[in-house]
Amino acid sequence: MRIDFHVHAFPDQLAPKAMSILAQHAGYDPQSDGTFADTCEKMAAGGNDRFVLLNIAQTPAQQGNANRFVIERNGGKVIAFAAVHPLSDDAIYELDKAKDAGLKGVKLHPEYQGFDMDDPAVYPFYEACAKRGMIMLFHAGFDSAYPNSRRGYPDKSAKVVKDFAGAKIVLAHLGNCLDNRETLELLCGLNCYFDLSICYKTMPHDQIKEVIKAHTADRILYGTDFPWGNIADTVKMIENLGLTDQEKEKIYHKNAEKLLQI
């Protein structure tokens, strides 16, 4: 059983443009055409039993369409998260609409959405998520499209995790896929989850193992960042980390099931 906690797909009419722009920014070869149908096909072919579907509202104006897209596809093998801009005037309305539709979380991206993770201006939105039991999945650390930005680096994400101790928080890319030093120093042991998405491309195995050991396998989630991450290469990475079968089972699906309450 595998639950991929970090997957992106786009509406058919937007997929070609979105994939072209994002591929240029990311510098990675995409593993699909970005459509929902092709994503589902590749997930199944790669051995992923279920996946968390993520979309990002880069501006408040994009929230409505983005949430209609994910809400319509939520269910079965698909666990959709809301796309909400935390600084929009109707962020709480969009959050409530998503929760009422059965969505379990929201995807947030400090760089793409233009906010510092620990900015007090976004704290009311975090509080609303926490009160509603909604998971907050953040892009965390380095982003190749914003190489000089530190909007979501461990110094900022650690403050948020501490300030919202009861919230359900996932930090993508092991807190910072470029280097594990700040994650080890500032994040490991705090009340949050890390996902492993894209780390096979950017971080040596020994650094990944250090983080898992320090944070424990109980707080690590399997994720690919598909279509930017390759499913087989992510699985190969996990299999080569020297983890026990019990630890791998937690990472592949049990931690996700617990967090998602499924």
Side-chain angles (χ1 to χ4, degrees):
M1 165 72 78
R2 281 195 248 132
I3 300 174
D4 191 332
F5 216 89
H6 198 132
V7 176
H8 301 283
F10 308 94
D12 289 357
Q13 67 272 23
L14 297 180
K17 182 178 180 180
M19 291 297 292
S20 176
I21 293 172
L22 291 170
Q24 292 177 31
H25 287 173
Y28 300 142
D29 293 329
Q31 305 295 305
S32 80
D33 65 11
T35 64
F36 179 73
D38 193 46
T39 298
C40 289
E41 182 179 329
K42 297 291 173 52
M43 286 288 113
N48 287 343
D49 299 276
R50 302 182 75 177
F51 66 93
V52 176
L53 175 64
L54 307 173
N55 216 311
I56 300 167
Q58 295 190 44
T59 67
Q62 293 178 351
Q63 292 177 128
N65 288 335
N67 283 321
R68 277 190 290 275
F69 171 72
V70 293
I71 287 170
E72 288 172 0
R73 286 153 183 81
N74 186 50
K77 295 184 177 182
V78 181
I79 305 155
F81 277 19
V84 181
H85 196 291
L87 293 174
S88 66
D89 292 338
D90 57 351
I92 307 303
Y93 167 78
E94 289 291 338
L95 187 69
D96 283 336
K97 184 172 68 174
K99 182 174 174 58
D100 290 344
L103 273 58
K104 295 177 179 289
V106 58
K107 173 62 190 292
L108 299 165
H109 198 305
E111 282 78 21
Y112 280 28
Q113 295 178 309
F115 67 93
D116 285 343
M117 193 170 165
D118 62 347
D119 186 341
V122 294
Y123 271 34
F125 181 73
Y126 298 164
E127 183 67 31
C129 290
K131 286 182 177 179
R132 290 158 176 78
M134 297 285 276
I135 300 164
M136 292 181 278
L137 195 164
F138 291 90
H139 170 86
F142 176 78
D143 188 293
S144 56
Y146 299 85
N148 299 314
S149 171
R150 288 186 59 92
R151 288 186 180 275
Y153 264 63
D155 55 334
K156 296 181 181 296
S157 57
K159 186 176 188 308
V160 172
V161 172
K162 291 175 182 177
D163 288 346
F164 293 88
K168 299 175 181 178
I169 294 175
V170 178
L171 303 176
H173 321 302
L174 285 183
N176 179 21
C177 67
L178 197 62
D179 191 300
N180 75 348
R181 288 173 296 179
E182 291 183 58
T183 297
L184 289 168
E185 179 184 352
L186 300 172
L187 288 171
C188 285
L190 298 184
N191 184 30
C192 62
Y193 290 80
F194 303 149
D195 82 30
L196 288 164
S197 59
I198 221 70
C199 289
Y200 77 89
K201 287 178 177 283
T202 60
M203 189 179 289
H205 280 189
D206 60 339
Q207 289 193 16
I208 296 170
K209 289 167 68 174
E210 279 186 299
V211 173
I212 295 174
K213 182 179 179 180
H215 201 53
T216 78
D218 293 328
R219 295 280 184 168
I220 306 294
L221 301 163
Y222 164 69
T224 59
D225 204 0
F226 191 87
W228 314 114
N230 181 278
I231 298 170
D233 287 339
T234 304
V235 172
K236 182 180 178 181
M237 173 193 73
I238 294 171
E239 294 297 323
N240 288 333
L241 290 175
L243 301 170
T244 67
D245 288 343
Q246 184 181 33
E247 287 172 327
K248 288 187 288 187
E249 193 174 24
K250 290 178 180 179
I251 291 168
Y252 279 134
H253 70 94
K254 284 195 170 182
N255 294 338
E257 290 167 344
K258 179 180 178 181
L259 182 57
L260 294 163
Q261 297 181 320
I262 56 176

